[in-house]
Structures are given as C-alpha cells and as structure tokens.
Amino acid sequence: MVEQTEKTTTGGAAIRLDAVRFDYGDMAMRFDLAIEASSIAAIIGPSGAGKSTVLNLIAGFETPLSGRVLIGGADVTHAEPSRRPVSMVFQDNNLFAHLDVAANVGLGRRPGLRLDAADRQAVHDAIAKVGLAGKEPRKPAALSGGERQRVAIARALVRNRPVLLLDEAFASLGPALRHEMLDLVGQLQKDTGMTIVMVTHHPDDALRIPSTLFFLENGHVAASGPAGELLAAKGPSLLRKYLGSQELSL
Ligand code: ADP
C-alpha cells in the first residue's frame, strides 16, 4: 500500500499585475509586473514607493482602478481576498495571546478550530516544518520574536495556498534572527514549491535566498531582475543611488 501523506501546498502560482492603476489621493501608482510560479520575489524601495500596496493588490485588500491581477493565470482582479490562492504574514504576526501554538496554527486551517484528524496532522506537520516541534502547548508570550513569526508562517502553511506574501514579516527581528527566518523561507519554498513575495527594507535579504528583485519608486516598478545582478556594483545606477544610503550586511 502506498502511504498517503498530505502535500503541504499545491505548488506555486504565477502572479501578474497587468497595467494595474491605483491611487491614494495624490499618489498615482501603476504596476506592471510578472512573478514566475514557484519563485521568490523581493520587493524593495523607499518608504512610500508602493510596496505594501502591491501586496494588498495581490491579496485583494485593495482593488485596482483599472488593469488586471492574475494569479495562476486566473483573473482575480475583483475576487474577495478569501477566494484568492494567497496567504499573508505581517510584521505584527496577529497571534492570539490566549491560544497556544497548536491552536494559533490551527486557526489557519479552521477559523472555528473544529479540527479533524487530517487538520491536526497538517498542524503537526507545519509546526515541525518551521522548527517548533515540542512547543505546541506554549502561549505566544513564552516564545521569542522569531518563534512567534515561525508560528505565523506555520499558520499560513496549513492554508495550503500556492502564494505566500510576507509584508516586512521579519522587520522587527535582529539581523541574525532575520537571516535565520530567510533561510527558513528559502527551505519552505524548496519543499513546497510555493511562490513567495516578500516586501523588505533590507535589500540584502534578496541576496540571502535566490530571488527576483523588484525595485519600486514613486508607485511603479523602476527596475527588476535577478537580485544578484541588480544589487551588484555594476547594477543600474538608480539602484546604486538607493543602496548608497543602505548598508548591505552579507
Ligand atoms: P511602502 O509600502 O512602499 O512604504 P505603501 O504601499 O504603504 O508604500 O504606500 C504607497 C503610497 O500610498 C504612499 O504615498 C502612502 O502615503 C500612500 N498610502 C498608503 N496607504 C494609504 C492609505 N490608507 N490612505 C492614503 N494613502 C495611503
């Protein structure tokens, strides 16, 4: 008999923003970008450039004025967030203080926490995958900042969505922990085939794991390509200018 193990995700999905226009008052944005299925995209750029807006447009928390949002080839421009094949992890991980690790992860599976055996297995597997096996009974207060973000990632994993969005998810962690989390993200991507889109204030995050870089400026993608090439000494001058004020710590 072949043993049945549950796949953690259904693989990755390509993402496209096709001539997407979006305005916040005076700030007119227009995004054209394509992220390959099962790749890691790093979105960088100055504060206010539109990085979070791109994630919100993909997740469905914002709707374009015009243009299309495609995920896995399907037009989701007007789909509710819950109907999109997407999970999102924020800097503030939204864990419930009164629930233990297992329950916080279980919420990703069933909002009412009525978990069947397959759900409990998925929770168990996700907790092991993020390196928290044995810590299931702990409450968030008894975890480090890095461990809390691991719980948030596990909660995203049990949702089995092909796209994972990270909105400055590791910004509050010190460099060593941040690197550890990036390594975990790289490993999870390999294991599951998910498409990962991460917004970061640290350009060197994109060098830590193989990523395609999208450099945003003033509400549009000003440069994109393999992170190693764009961030190299001979990279585009607009990126050199931006990086001038940043310290690469790899
Ligand atoms: P980033 O993530 O790169 O810092 P954002 O996507 O958060 O940029 O914001 C892009 C632009 O939209 C900024 O000029 C910001 O001031 C503006 N903005 C963001 N959210 C809102 C909002 N809720 N209301 C009005 N303007 C907003």
Side-chain angles (χ1 to χ4, degrees):
M1 203 179 95
V2 179
E3 198 185 327
Q4 296 284 316
T5 52
E6 204 205 13
K7 263 187 93 193
T8 309
T9 76
T10 49
I15 301 168
R16 234 179 95 201
L17 299 190
D18 179 17
V20 164
R21 285 203 308 113
F22 186 79
D23 290 352
Y24 273 128
D26 291 344
M27 177 71 173
M29 296 177 251
R30 187 195 149 111
F31 299 110
D32 275 290
L33 64 89
I35 297 169
E36 274 179 42
S38 302
S39 69
I40 300 177
I43 302 186
I44 67 165
S47 199
K51 301 183 294 296
S52 292
T53 303
V54 165
L55 289 197
N56 289 335
L57 287 161
I58 296 170
F61 300 129
E62 301 290 2
T63 305
L65 292 172
S66 63
R68 296 187 310 157
V69 179
L70 300 155
I71 303 180
D75 188 336
V76 296
T77 313
H78 299 287
E80 289 293 314
S82 64
R83 305 196 68 85
R84 299 189 185 203
V86 167
S87 294
M88 195 153 167
V89 173
F90 301 91
Q91 180 178 348
D92 163 18
N93 45 50
N94 296 324
L95 300 184
F96 288 94
H98 65 291
L99 296 178
D100 64 17
V101 166
N104 267 294
V105 174
L107 281 176
R109 193 77 175 191
R110 309 256 173 227
L113 278 180
R114 288 173 189 274
L115 305 182
D116 63 18
D119 294 330
R120 280 194 293 274
Q121 185 64 46
V123 168
H124 177 268
D125 291 349
I127 288 173
K129 266 208 162 76
V130 300
L132 290 179
K135 300 199 168 144
E136 290 84 348
R138 292 217 194 159
K139 301 271 171 64
L143 298 172
S144 69
E147 287 171 334
R148 283 198 284 271
Q149 284 310 69
R150 286 171 188 265
V151 176
I153 290 174
R155 186 172 53 193
L157 283 181
V158 295
R159 286 161 51 81
N160 271 344
R161 306 286 165 103
V163 173
L164 177 63
L165 307 177
L166 303 172
D167 195 356
E168 299 200 36
F170 314 132
S172 59
L173 306 178
L177 261 184
R178 215 178 74 242
H179 288 166
E180 212 176 87
M181 296 305 294
L182 288 165
D183 293 345
L184 172 67
V185 164
Q187 190 57 47
L188 291 173
Q189 197 289 321
K190 273 193 210 148
D191 290 350
T192 63
M194 288 182 293
T195 307
I196 296 178
V197 187
M198 58 178 190
V199 164
T200 176
H201 269 311
H202 300 275
D204 49 328
D205 285 359
L207 296 174
R208 182 94 191 170
I209 45 180
S211 356
T212 305
L213 199 73
F214 293 86
F215 174 62
L216 267 53
E217 224 179 25
N218 269 327
H220 72 282
V221 179
S224 64
E229 288 175 24
L230 259 62
L231 296 176
K234 287 184 182 153
S237 60
L238 78 173
L239 261 140
R240 298 308 315 157
K241 209 169 123 204
Y242 170 64
L243 295 173
S245 58
Q246 311 268 323
E247 216 174 286
L248 293 185
S249 62
L250 269 189

